[in-house]
Amino acid sequence: MSETDHSEYMEEEEEWVWEEGEVSQDEEEIELDNLYHNGKNESDIKVAISYFKQVLEKGAPEWQLKALRRLCTLEYTQGNYATFNEHVAALLNVMSNCTAHSAIEKAAYQTTELGFAHPDFQVGAELCSRFASCLITSHKRVYVGVLLRWCRRCWVDKQLTALEATLDAILGVVGDLERHKSTEVELEVVAYQIQICLLRRNYPLLRDLCTRARKKMTSAFPHPRIAGFILDGFGKVAMLDKKWADAQVEFFEAYKLLVEGSEHTMKLKAVQYLLICAMLQCGSQLVVDPLDSVELRNFKELHDNNIARADEKDKETLKDTMLLVKLQYKFQNSDEEDLVSLSSVVNAVNVCPQLRADPFIAPNVGLLLRTAQIGFLQQAIKPYQGHAVRLSHLTKKLHCDIATVISLLTELIIDGQLLGLIDEVSEVLVLPTRTSNTSCTTDIPRRWADSLTLCSAHMTSCLA
């Protein structure tokens, strides 16, 4: 560098020297920052409030939002709800005149999280309405975020009417958001709609919502909790269609996502559905045990002590889940001696209020026992091929009445899994040899059909 260049550089440097007595903007920021952090780190709440009030008096709108956010938190934790509401009013006033989006977003989310946790549902509803009115015009993304947080409270309290109204409000502005954000929001809305349909047992709408959600999930990555809600709906649609293998896959993936999303009660319900589908898929011969997977292996190790240490809200659900684990074990290892204990476990499941009220478990528990009985019945009649066996003998083997045995045998014969004739008068099952003519099972229905054909032809000729 030449001497000339050096002198020019020094002249430029001298121009940036502050005049004596002038206060720089950086010094004001430093003062506000010190006051704010002193308030954050102060253990005495009254002193902390005084620091934040100084920031509120001296700071720009962005600093005022930070101070009011902290003041709202302190007053709420102290139970001063009247003062909390005053600070909320001031916060909303500053929001309407502020352009710092990130500060508005943080203040709105943190303050509403406090209010939405209030024991009184109406307090949260009023707070949601106040923030929504302030944010809907200029900050729609924050507006949608606040409403989605309110949806969680509505879902926990099962306030379905309020939840549906909030979802409709979200759908009214979702088109104004960025494309990737709007898809995520639509998926979250669909996830809540799926759960509402499940509670109201509106299965036609449930199928439509699941179809829409499956298409949208290919172009977005929703929160694990939301994805778990959606996959739970997919699994239940598969259960309605009796597609047990598909349902198993959906519930297993839903379980992993719900664990990641900290949805404890719903993850236990996913395990319950997974066990039911595994038993129904494989019949009495359970080839793959879902509890052998790494994610579910701990359920085999749970005992009464673990249930006692569980959270109060999850204790009953965990007990019901462990009862289904026991049922799954009995089902997998059912034999003549174990069939009685299997029936007792099924009866215990039927007595559980939660399981009996579940529309996807209650109808299938009886089917599980019937599936186990059919599997054992097939084994019990194998030695009697080519002979006749009394139904009373089979009732002793299956520990059930004759009507149940006849119903099971009829199902096997109609499905083509058994060649035989049931003599209900003599209460005997006739089993032909495998090499004999198999027409014996269809002879009587064929003669009955021929008689109906002749009768129909005769009546037609008479009418002509």
Side-chain angles (χ1 to χ4, degrees):
M1 180 182 294
S2 65
E3 292 184 5
T4 308
D5 294 337
H6 182 72
S7 62
E8 289 177 359
Y9 177 76
M10 292 299 293
E11 288 175 4
E12 291 177 1
E13 192 178 56
E14 288 174 0
E15 292 177 3
W16 292 95
V17 177
W18 294 103
E19 296 180 5
E20 187 176 353
E22 184 179 352
V23 179
S24 70
Q25 187 176 0
D26 288 343
E27 289 177 358
E28 293 178 358
E29 288 289 322
I30 290 171
E31 182 185 1
L32 290 170
D33 190 64
N34 286 335
L35 288 171
Y36 179 76
H37 282 89
N38 287 339
K40 279 180 64 176
N41 299 323
E42 180 60 54
S43 57
D44 189 329
I45 293 178
K46 291 184 178 180
V47 177
I49 289 175
S50 67
Y51 279 124
F52 291 129
K53 285 185 176 179
Q54 291 181 57
V55 176
L56 188 60
E57 293 170 0
K58 299 178 181 180
E62 188 172 350
W63 279 107
Q64 290 176 348
L65 286 176
K66 289 183 177 182
L68 286 167
R69 174 166 57 87
R70 292 289 176 179
L71 288 169
C72 287
T73 303
L74 290 172
E75 298 294 354
Y76 185 87
T77 53
Q78 292 298 303
N80 302 325
Y81 299 125
T83 312
F84 169 77
N85 284 324
E86 292 175 5
H87 290 317
V88 168
L91 180 68
L92 294 173
N93 185 43
V94 174
M95 278 183 180
S96 61
N97 301 314
C98 182
T99 57
H101 181 82
S102 59
I104 291 173
E105 187 175 25
K106 194 170 184 179
Y109 291 166
Q110 186 169 332
T111 308
T112 53
E113 285 285 355
L114 292 170
F116 293 168
H118 194 280
D120 189 349
F121 183 82
Q122 289 303 320
V123 171
E126 291 172 6
L127 184 66
C128 179
S129 176
R130 292 170 68 185
F131 270 88
S133 301
C134 175
L135 297 168
I136 189 170
T137 306
S138 305
H139 306 283
K140 290 188 178 178
R141 182 170 178 175
V142 185
Y143 166 79
V144 169
V146 169
L147 292 186
L148 287 174
R149 281 162 172 75
W150 177 237
C151 286
R152 296 178 192 175
R153 174 63 190 272
C154 296
W155 170 249
V156 170
D157 289 5
K158 296 297 183 285
Q159 298 285 344
L160 300 187
T161 304
L163 177 57
E164 286 180 311
T166 308
L167 294 176
D168 290 340
I170 294 171
L171 290 174
V173 299
V174 73
D176 298 331
L177 303 178
E178 302 91 339
R179 184 175 178 181
H180 70 280
K181 183 64 179 177
S182 65
T183 305
E184 291 178 10
V185 171
E186 286 173 353
L187 275 173
E188 190 159 352
V189 170
V190 170
Y192 283 116
Q193 290 175 333
I194 285 173
Q195 296 304 317
I196 292 172
C197 287
L198 288 169
L199 286 176
R200 292 180 173 170
R201 304 188 184 185
N202 188 351
Y203 300 136
L205 181 57
L206 173 65
R207 292 177 188 278
D208 180 56
L209 289 171
C210 287
T211 303
R212 285 164 47 195
R214 195 177 291 277
K215 292 178 181 178
K216 289 184 179 296
M217 285 186 74
T218 59
S219 58
F221 299 95
H223 187 276
R225 172 175 158 274
I226 298 304
F229 278 13
I230 294 172
L231 290 178
D232 178 75
F234 290 172
K236 287 172 180 174
V237 169
M239 286 186 77
L240 291 173
D241 296 335
K242 309 296 183 185
K243 296 178 180 178
W244 310 119
D246 294 344
Q248 241 186 300
V249 173
E250 302 291 3
F251 284 125
F252 184 68
E253 294 300 322
Y255 169 79
K256 293 191 291 185
L257 290 166
L258 292 168
V259 169
E260 190 177 347
S262 301
E263 281 287 335
H264 301 294
T265 302
M266 282 199 67
K267 80 174 182 184
L268 292 174
K269 295 297 290 182
V271 174
Q272 294 178 8
Y273 298 132
L274 177 61
L275 292 172
I276 291 288
C277 292
M279 288 183 274
L280 290 171
Q281 177 198 357
C282 302
S284 58
Q285 302 299 320
L286 198 58
V287 180
V288 179
D289 185 359
L291 297 180
D292 285 337
S293 63
V294 176
E295 293 83 358
L296 298 171
R297 194 174 296 165
N298 62 324
F299 281 95
K300 281 192 172 182
E301 302 168 1
L302 287 176
H303 301 290
D304 294 337
N305 293 334
N306 301 78
I307 296 174
R309 290 197 298 267
D311 293 339
E312 197 63 37
K313 62 181 181 179
D314 294 335
K315 191 172 291 185
E316 289 301 319
T317 309
L318 184 58
K319 285 174 66 176
D320 295 344
T321 305
M322 294 313 298
L323 185 59
L324 287 176
V325 170
K326 184 178 180 182
L327 174 62
Q328 186 261 355
Y329 174 78
K330 294 290 184 185
F331 189 80
Q332 185 178 12
N333 300 281
S334 60
D335 52 23
E336 182 177 353
E337 291 75 17
D338 232 12
L339 205 57
V340 178
S341 60
L342 175 63
S343 302
S344 66
V345 176
V346 168
N347 292 332
V349 171
N350 285 328
V351 171
C352 285
Q354 286 189 15
L355 296 178
R356 191 170 62 179
D358 194 305
F360 293 93
I361 291 180
N364 292 317
V365 170
L367 181 59
L368 287 175
L369 178 60
R370 188 174 180 86
T371 304
Q373 288 174 332
I374 286 177
F376 180 69
L377 181 60
Q378 289 176 308
Q379 297 296 322
I381 62 179
K382 271 185 180 180
Y384 302 100
Q385 201 69 42
H387 301 83
V389 57
R390 291 193 175 278
L391 299 182
S392 57
H393 174 70
L394 296 177
T395 59
K396 292 177 183 178
K397 289 277 188 180
L398 269 67
H399 307 281
C400 60
D401 55 17
I402 288 182
T404 303
V405 171
I406 292 174
S407 174
L408 296 171
L409 290 171
T410 303
E411 183 176 336
L412 287 172
I413 292 172
I414 291 174
D415 290 345
Q417 299 181 48
L418 175 66
L419 295 177
L421 292 172
I422 303 173
D423 187 345
E424 293 190 46
V425 177
S426 304
E427 295 185 346
V428 171
L429 171 66
V430 180
L431 297 168
T433 59
R434 294 183 183 278
T435 57
S436 64
N437 188 5
T438 59
S439 63
C440 60
T441 59
T442 58
D443 188 37
I444 294 175
R446 186 182 295 112
R447 282 186 292 168
W448 176 245
D450 292 342
S451 298
L452 287 175
T453 303
L454 291 172
C455 180
S456 175
H458 179 68
M459 292 178 66
T460 303
S461 63
C462 289
L463 290 173

